[in-house]
Amino acid sequence: MSKRVLLVEDEAPIREMLEFVLVQYGFQTIQAEDFDVALEKLVEPYPDIILLDWMLPGGSGIQLAKKLKQHQHARNIPIIMLTARGEEEDKIRGLEVGADDYITKPFSPKELIARIKAVLRRAAPTASEEPIHFNGLNLDPVSHRVTANDEPLDMGPTEFKLLHFFMAHAERVYSREQLLDNVWGTNVYVEDRTVDVHIRRLRKAMEKFGHDAMIQTVRGAGYRFSSKI
Ligand code: CA
């Protein structure tokens, strides 16, 4: 079944261009020209991914991303922010409020499709894998659930994938570059500090019972998942 993409973009020519490209690559599209329409379009069947313009009338993309992350059904839908060149700080803020990736305008259709596929791949549950447990922390790849002392932990698809990778390779140190290759995939360009943003979000999601201490920073080397707290 083809994946549904919710396009939130106020500029009609850009929206139409995006739609043209997405349909060409076999995606279905749902269009929204502003904040309120985007929220109205969040009904079943839910989109698989959201392309969210940074500058929107009636609320910035950031506000919408925040709102989406509190939305009962939409909070697990991955978001790619569309930003203009030179909004470096904004991109980081976008990632901090829950976007999974960003793409800078103008972009090529090929780049857009590669980003969407990479984010969808990260969001996809990894079936036929065994649950992993350490110290009260339990990750079930099949149901895509993480619990700490039997209480569910809420996290985004990228944090889940990152934690899954860490738990499957406990006690080993990985550089940011290695994490990007293993968790984000080699054919997508993501900046090193994107890793730091997701590590921060992952730790925050694991704070409740102190499991965040299992994600250790190894100075000058990268990060390690420790099976002990
Ligand atoms: Ca705009």
Side-chain angles (χ1 to χ4, degrees):
M1 213 180 75
S2 60
K3 299 282 186 189
R4 283 177 303 273
V5 184
L6 174 60
L7 292 174
V8 191
E9 165 68 74
D10 58 310
E11 285 158 83
I14 298 179
R15 211 166 58 233
E16 280 154 24
M17 180 275 285
L18 289 169
E19 204 210 348
F20 179 79
V21 171
L22 289 166
V23 168
Q24 210 177 15
Y25 281 86
F27 292 93
Q28 279 181 45
T29 62
I30 308 157
Q31 300 192 31
E33 65 272 23
D34 64 32
F35 199 79
D36 294 333
V37 175
L39 289 176
E40 277 167 27
K41 300 263 166 115
L42 280 169
V43 289
E44 284 189 88
Y46 292 105
D48 297 289
I49 188 163
I50 301 170
L51 284 188
L52 182 57
D53 182 30
W54 183 266
M55 299 291 283
L56 288 169
S60 72
I62 278 226
Q63 283 170 286
L64 186 54
K66 268 190 193 158
K67 217 164 191 166
L68 291 174
K69 289 300 162 191
Q70 292 158 6
H71 191 284
Q72 195 188 348
H73 300 291
R75 66 173 174 215
N76 294 320
I77 302 173
I79 299 172
I80 299 180
M81 305 272 309
L82 306 175
T83 70
R85 214 167 273 289
E87 292 174 336
E88 200 54 39
E89 281 315 303
D90 291 350
K91 290 169 193 167
I92 300 302
R93 274 183 60 212
L95 294 173
E96 279 172 348
V97 297
D100 295 88
D101 201 356
Y102 59 80
I103 186 162
T104 308
K105 294 176 191 175
F107 43 80
S108 70
K110 233 178 127 184
E111 187 186 0
L112 174 71
I113 299 298
R115 292 289 180 110
I116 291 176
K117 285 188 174 167
V119 168
L120 285 173
R121 208 166 39 237
R122 256 142 61 195
T126 347
S128 77
E129 286 184 62
E130 293 300 306
I132 314 174
H133 327 255
F134 288 109
N135 259 308
L137 185 70
N138 181 34
L139 181 142
D140 182 358
V142 178
S143 67
H144 235 239
R145 283 203 184 98
V146 182
T147 56
N149 303 346
D150 293 326
E151 284 192 33
L153 296 185
D154 240 346
M155 63 183 71
T158 305
E159 287 70 45
F160 180 88
K161 189 91 191 282
L162 191 56
L163 181 60
H164 189 191
F165 179 77
F166 273 138
M167 289 179 80
H169 304 89
E171 311 301 342
R172 288 186 223 169
V173 180
Y174 288 93
S175 67
R176 287 169 181 78
E177 204 177 315
Q178 287 172 321
L179 289 172
L180 284 174
D181 284 353
N182 284 289
V183 178
W184 278 257
T186 41
N187 47 6
V188 172
Y189 174 71
V190 188
E191 289 163 55
D192 282 6
R193 61 174 168 160
T194 301
V195 175
D196 301 335
V197 171
H198 287 283
I199 291 274
R200 214 148 57 222
R201 274 159 57 175
L202 177 58
R203 281 180 174 146
K204 195 154 176 43
M206 295 168 70
E207 262 170 8
K208 194 160 188 189
F209 297 102
H211 291 96
D212 53 311
M214 295 167 104
I215 310 288
Q216 302 177 337
T217 304
V218 183
R219 207 166 279 277
Y223 294 100
R224 167 178 58 215
F225 177 86
S226 162
S227 58
K228 294 164 211 74
I229 295 183

